[in-house]
Amino acid sequence: MFDAGLRAALFGGLMIGAAAALFYWLNGRIAGVSGIFGDLFLDRRNGHSPWRLAFISGLLLGYLLVRAWRPELGQIHLQTNPAGMAIAGLLVGYGTRMSCGCTSGHGICGVARISPRSLAATGIFMLAAMITVALVRHSGLLP
Amino acid sequence: MRPLVALACGTLFGAGLTYAGMTDPARVLGFLDVMGNWDPALAVVMVGALLVSLPAFQWARRHPRPLLDTQFFLPERFRVDADLMLGAALFGLGWGIAGLCPGPALAGLASGMPEVLLFVAAMATGMSVRSWRVRQRARAGEFECKS
């Protein structure tokens, strides 16, 4: 029923869920990437930089480890031009800061906590992204 | 000890994203493209993650504090408000354009691709603009996220 790609997706998902669970059990923190990354340079309280920097460094390290082990994984096929990347990055940064979370903090941790805010945010960003892709790929309105 | 745990959890998180194929914007947009040749991978990743995180977070409710700190650090806001909804919509718009959200973008930085660095720099700028706007207004109820 599951092809190799979907088995990998399931296994990868279990790893992500385990990472979020361990981070909460041990450090008591939500594994929300937008918040951890943003507060690295936006939160002026002292003493939080080491764990934030360590978590974000881990994301890059995890990517490198998987690529070292299985070089065919971790490919990145860009879907838009540099201008699109810049606009998308600005929207993702502004939007996640405004809604206090992204796919990890709301989508995985918040949904697991059954937080009404996270359930709402996850539904809205999924729907907004699906509408965006439909407009970009299927509407014929864009060049 | 806590930074070490953060490094280990970040590494497991980044490895999971990469192994699952979620660092590839093509696969993410393949899921978001419900009118095209739909790829269920992202939904499978979410289900896999929640299979672990849902029982784990519910089980944690029975405990007063985490193993290595004095309290659980949770968001202090509970209402579904306009900022949450508009912010999520803007995030979804950007996600749908590039196929990148913060986790995969940061993990993918390790690929050394300049376009990914451009996305992350723009994302940091967007976060800073939002933070600056909140501090400018500083009106009652205005709210800065905390991790």
Side-chain angles (χ1 to χ4, degrees), chain A residues 63 67 71-77, chain B residues 18 21 23-27 113:
Chain A
Y63 176 88
R67 285 216 87 160
E72 75 276 18
L73 297 174
Q75 293 188 35
I76 296 175
H77 301 95
Chain B
T18 310
T23 45
D24 189 351
R27 299 238 34 205
M113 288 175 72

Side-chain angles (χ1 to χ4, degrees), chain A residues 79-110:
Chain A
Q79 300 294 299
T80 181
N81 57 24
M85 291 294 265
I87 292 165
L90 282 170
L91 287 165
V92 168
Y94 194 94
T96 53
R97 197 82 198 162
M98 190 174 190
S99 64
C100 300
C102 58
T103 334
S104 51
H106 280 315
I108 290 162
C109 299

